Amino acid sequence: MAAKQPPPLMKKHSQTDLVSRLKTRKILGVGGEDDDGEVHRSKISQVLGNEIKFAVREPLGLRVWQFASAVLFSGIAIMALAFPDQLYDAVFDGAQVTSKTPIRLYGGALLSISLIMWNALYTAEKVIIRWTLLTEACYFGVQFLVVSATLAETGLASLGILLLLASRLLFVVISVYYYYQVGRKPKKV
């Protein structure tokens, strides 16, 4: 007996059927707009993301500011760790240090923040750059408030303290400016 041949397979032309294609794309979740207004042409581009979407339109001077901040944080951290007496003397004009431990702890914290600053200098991710700038602004703001409270408490106004306060206020303004500039939505062309 000869084996019975199976009936020929009918090829479905679903890819040419427009309704079927739209249903398939809807099930996959592609072709429509996402929360950010992006239209993904494929599931792969949706999962991997669009590089242009994450590219930051950098404000003028952002990388210079990031570099200057990283150098500033690193320099003060090393000075606080290695020479706590001299750092305290430079800021508080001859006031005697009672303990070096808090100044060295301050240096360790600054060194940790400076490592974040150095790493943010080499990234193009908008979120990381913004968090770093916000960290800077918060640090400088808190330092401004603490030094102002100490100045009001002790009444020791020196040129070093006044320069420190002025520079911290300026650094807060610069960091907040770049924070908002990096976070702006790009203008649609």
Side-chain angles (χ1 to χ4, degrees):
M1 266 189 171
K4 191 175 179 184
Q5 290 280 24
L9 294 174
M10 297 296 290
K11 187 175 180 184
K12 186 176 178 188
H13 296 286
S14 64
Q15 289 301 317
T16 58
D17 181 16
L18 183 60
V19 175
S20 181
R21 283 184 72 190
L22 289 175
K23 284 181 184 177
T24 304
R25 292 176 73 75
K26 186 167 183 111
I27 290 169
L28 288 173
V30 296
E33 286 190 10
D34 65 2
D35 296 338
D36 297 327
E38 283 288 316
V39 177
H40 298 282
R41 294 177 181 252
S42 70
K43 197 65 179 174
I44 293 172
S45 73
Q46 187 177 9
V47 171
L48 295 178
N50 187 353
E51 281 186 40
I52 297 168
K53 178 180 173 182
F54 297 110
V56 177
R57 195 186 113 259
E58 293 181 358
L60 191 63
L62 173 67
R63 295 299 179 173
V64 173
W65 173 247
Q66 286 181 302
F67 179 76
S69 296
V71 168
L72 178 79
F73 275 76
S74 299
I76 294 175
I78 291 168
M79 190 169 175
L81 288 168
F83 312 108
D85 293 330
Q86 287 80 358
L87 180 66
Y88 193 85
D89 186 48
V91 174
F92 294 105
D93 262 351
Q96 201 59 28
V97 179
T98 54
S99 175
K100 295 179 183 180
T101 304
I103 299 169
R104 288 199 169 120
L105 286 172
Y106 167 72
L110 274 186
L111 191 61
S112 300
I113 294 173
S114 75
L115 291 174
I116 295 170
M117 301 292 174
W118 284 111
N119 285 322
L121 183 61
Y122 298 108
T123 189
E125 289 187 46
K126 191 178 190 177
V127 175
I128 293 174
I129 294 171
R130 289 192 81 209
W131 271 107
T132 307
L133 291 166
L134 186 62
T135 301
E136 276 182 70
C138 289
Y139 166 77
F140 289 131
V142 167
Q143 190 177 30
F144 178 82
L145 292 174
V146 167
V147 172
S148 296
T150 304
L151 182 63
E153 210 174 78
T154 62
L156 296 173
S158 68
L159 182 61
I161 291 177
L162 296 177
L163 285 175
L164 180 73
L165 287 174
S167 67
R168 294 316 177 233
L169 201 55
L170 177 67
F171 294 163
V172 167
V173 170
I174 293 171
S175 295
V176 168
Y177 167 77
Y178 282 124
Y179 175 80
Y180 282 111
Q181 289 298 314
V182 170
R184 282 187 345 176
K185 294 208 180 247
K187 294 179 183 173
K188 295 200 176 189
V189 180

